[in-house]
Amino acid sequence: MMETMSHKSFGSRLLEFVFISTIILRTFVSFQFLGEENIVMRLLSIVCAMGCLYYVALLLLRKAAFSFISLSLLVIFVYYAFISIVNERYLVSLLGRAMDIFVLWGYFENNRDDFYSAMRNIMYVSAACVFINFVLVLLFPEGLWESEMEVGNKMFYFLGGNYNSFGPRMLCSMLVILTCCQYRKRYYLLFFLLFAASVVSVLLTGSKTSLVGISLLFIYFLFLGRKPHKIIFLFSVFAVLLFETLIVFLDFNIGDIEIAKHFIEDILQKDTDFTYRTELWQQSLVCISEHPIFGYGYVDNDWWSHNISVYARGSHNFVLCELIYGGVVGLLMWTCLTCSVIRKTIPSSFKYVLCIGLSCLLLMMCFEVYGAFYLVFILFLIYYYSLQNNDADAQS
């Protein structure tokens, strides 16, 4: 068993803080204003690689056993790498995402006996990113910098670049704060402040997907989060699956439902084709039908541009993206991993708060291009929190 944080040297604690801070910055913040080849991203990549070597060394030296969640992720990575090689895809992006997830896992695993301290570090760094973005959005509501794209100029923001990328970062940060609240009640103030900052940020930029996702989590926690509500979680997952089946795969026109049309057009101020997303979904399904079982491998932006649309990168739907990357086999792997984590973990009231957070993320993933990192992040929260056996009241 790896040593607890309380028994670690100051150097070890500092090193791990640097590693987890690096992963949060790599996955939360966009440094595109510095150019594609900038010193900050290079430095973060080097530190991330060092983090991988560090946790590999710890595994080898202490002979720590892999859990089912880490083994599942390893199998998924090997499968995606194999399919990508067969289809002659570059592995740079896939390796980068795998490194982020591996360091995140190593951090969780190495600090499973001092979970609160580990989550507190993530909380401070992730919340700082959200608050900095909030200030920058107030100062520059139209975006921090402008970049020339193939179809015109596009404005970028600090948190994730695109304003539609705010959602998963804010959601993960909210869930980490709520996790810390299970140990110290004083963090509830930070939770409410971060939620307020998040709402203002998405309202000023117009990200309705992010607004709906974080608001649903907030409403659930505020009114229903004190007791386990498994049925609500199952219903939320069913709603997401129903949407994927009817709207995405069967191309049902949601505008035919008056209540849904009113909510989308009058409340969200969007159109019923979800800002041309239905076109992206249908074109993605055409590509998927050509390679349905194993997919195309980890495709790059050029592939998306030539095969789906020059106006968007990705299919703006997580299920379709994974079907393109790894086909039905890859999607089944992710499904089995997610179901196994939820089924194997200990039932508790807070576990279902995290599960609702997961369903909110899945809802947002129906419309936006979010990487699997955020899905894995929440699965790690669910899994490692359940190991603490502490669904007790938060301490003062």
Side-chain angles (χ1 to χ4, degrees), residues 3 6 27 86 129 131 156 243 346 360 371 380:
E3 60 186 348
S6 59
T27 55
V86 169
C129 292
F131 283 122
F156 287 91
F243 180 89
I346 301 171
C360 291
F380 279 160

Side-chain angles (χ1 to χ4, degrees), residues 1 8 12 22 33 35-36 44 60 99 104 126 130 143 187 210 238 269 289 295 322 327 334 355 388 394:
M1 178 65 65
K8 295 176 183 177
S12 297
T22 296
F33 66 98
E36 292 295 328
L44 292 177
L60 294 176
M99 287 169 58
L104 182 68
S126 62
V130 175
Y187 294 125
S210 299
F238 173 77
Q269 299 297 309
S289 66
E322 295 308 316
W334 283 112
C355 287
Q388 310 309 304

Side-chain angles (χ1 to χ4, degrees), residues 90-104:
Y90 292 109
L91 296 180
V92 176
S93 297
L94 177 61
L95 288 173
R97 298 290 76 79
M99 287 169 58
D100 292 333
I101 291 175
F102 179 75
V103 174
L104 182 68

Side-chain angles (χ1 to χ4, degrees), residues 78-124:
V78 171
Y79 170 74
Y80 275 67
F82 176 76
I83 296 300
S84 298
I85 292 173
V86 169
N87 287 279
E88 299 181 344
R89 310 293 177 194
Y90 292 109
L91 296 180
V92 176
S93 297
L94 177 61
L95 288 173
R97 298 290 76 79
M99 287 169 58
D100 292 333
I101 291 175
F102 179 75
V103 174
L104 182 68
W105 170 78
Y107 182 78
F108 272 95
E109 180 67 22
N110 196 33
N111 296 291
R112 61 194 296 175
D113 293 328
D114 197 358
F115 190 69
Y116 163 63
S117 297
M119 291 303 97
R120 187 175 55 188
N121 289 338
I122 298 178
M123 176 185 69
Y124 288 144

